[in-house]
Amino acid sequence: EAALYGTVQDNYGKPIAGVLVSDGMQTTETDAKGNWQLFSDLKLRRFVFVTIPAGYEVPSKNGIPQFWQRIPENEKQFKADFTLMKRAGSGDRYTILMTADPQIRAKTAGTDKYMFHSIDIYEDMCKDMKELAATITDRPVYSICLGDMVHNNMSLWEDYCEGLKDFSFPVFHVIGNHDHDRNKYTDREATENYRNHFGPTYYAFDRGKIHYVVLDDVFFLARSYLYAGYLEERQLRWLE
């Protein structure tokens, strides 16, 4: 039997064929009835996720798109059903609000000579984004944060997420070097905080006529301030 299986359907309960579903290594697509299955090793896989097709949206939770499900540990089989909301009209024209390096630090940290910002500046940015998005009424709005959400402080993830929670649009994320926990011994452990909030560190989605691919190109070296720009074999195999 397949270790991972499930269905993909729209918000009216209609099956969606041809949706890509992946465990981060293997990829399959849904059949005419919206069914999919993967013969995965669940000891090695922690997420199952879909590539959001153009013309569909996924539910968001506190501003974070829910295109993924976490595979419980010690499970031998896991059923993951996904619901996609069909967009009315064409989604070829849309706006993406790009952000990078919020690098939030404690409010007491202020702004230093390297322009690492404190949380109040991040809060101003979130306010500006919400106000701008509210003025865009003729097309969908999305956002991508290109990494370094926090500045090496793993206790600030909740503060970062607090800024997104009432966004009317989803925010996709890319992991940055400062988003790694430097007190861990392996790259996998160092990304655990990120994955707990945003899901897999590499994935893809379609918006309009563009296929977006998000990769994790930071390889963390144990308990240090060192890292390498590196794409591991697992990601390259998934991408292929």
Side-chain angles (χ1 to χ4, degrees):
E1 294 183 348
L4 291 174
Y5 67 101
T7 62
V8 179
Q9 60 183 22
D10 67 17
N11 43 318
Y12 299 103
K14 182 180 178 183
I16 309 174
V19 177
L20 297 178
V21 185
S22 180
D23 65 358
M25 182 74 79
Q26 303 177 82
T27 302
T28 188
E29 63 179 355
T30 54
D31 64 18
K33 295 182 179 179
N35 296 318
W36 63 271
Q37 60 180 3
L38 286 167
F39 294 87
S40 305
D41 184 346
L42 297 194
K43 296 193 195 87
L44 302 176
R45 307 269 68 87
R46 289 277 60 85
F47 294 102
V48 56
F49 52 96
V50 297
T51 295
I52 310 168
Y56 289 91
E57 307 288 352
V58 293
S60 289
K61 182 178 180 181
N62 297 326
I64 300 167
Q66 302 297 298
F67 59 90
W68 50 274
Q69 292 188 38
R70 183 180 298 277
I71 301 169
E73 295 210 29
N74 303 315
E75 289 288 321
K76 294 182 179 177
Q77 199 170 45
F78 182 61
K79 185 175 189 284
D81 297 326
F82 292 92
T83 299
L84 307 178
M85 289 95 69
K86 192 169 180 59
R87 285 204 61 83
S90 171
D92 285 357
R93 187 166 181 263
Y94 56 90
T95 290
I96 290 189
L97 306 177
M98 307 294 284
T99 66
D101 297 79
Q103 300 247 34
I104 62 171
R105 307 198 305 166
K107 283 185 180 289
T108 54
T111 303
D112 67 11
K113 65 181 180 179
Y114 299 109
M115 290 303 292
F116 292 136
H117 302 314
S118 56
I119 293 174
D120 55 330
I121 298 176
Y122 168 67
E123 290 170 345
D124 287 345
M125 183 190 83
C126 290
K127 180 173 177 287
D128 289 346
M129 291 173 69
K130 286 186 286 188
E131 290 177 354
L132 177 58
T135 68
I136 303 171
T137 57
D138 62 336
R139 57 193 182 274
V141 175
Y142 308 98
S143 180
I144 301 175
C145 183
L146 297 172
D148 290 350
M149 281 69 76
V150 297
H151 184 65
N152 305 327
N153 186 341
M154 299 299 106
S155 72
L156 293 177
W157 282 111
E158 296 303 326
D159 295 272
Y160 174 82
C161 290
E162 182 72 16
L164 312 179
K165 71 176 187 179
D166 56 353
F167 278 14
S168 62
F169 51 90
V171 183
F172 296 90
H173 287 86
V174 184
I175 192 169
N177 58 302
H178 291 287
D179 301 323
H180 288 64
D181 187 343
R182 293 179 173 179
N183 294 310
K184 299 298 184 180
Y185 285 98
T186 66
D187 182 75
R188 184 174 180 80
E189 290 176 306
T191 61
E192 187 174 357
N193 285 286
Y194 174 96
R195 289 183 283 113
N196 285 341
H197 289 90
F198 306 122
T201 60
Y202 58 95
Y203 57 94
F205 58 95
D206 293 326
R207 296 295 79 185
K209 297 179 179 179
I210 299 177
H211 182 60
Y212 293 85
V213 176
V214 172
L215 297 172
D216 172 7
D217 65 351
V218 178
F219 191 80
F220 174 81
L221 306 176
R223 291 180 66 86
S224 70
Y225 286 85
L226 301 175
Y227 61 92
Y230 176 74
L231 288 173
E232 60 183 350
E233 179 69 17
R234 176 176 54 175
Q235 291 186 69
L236 295 176
R237 286 177 62 185
W238 166 80
L239 184 60
E240 183 181 30

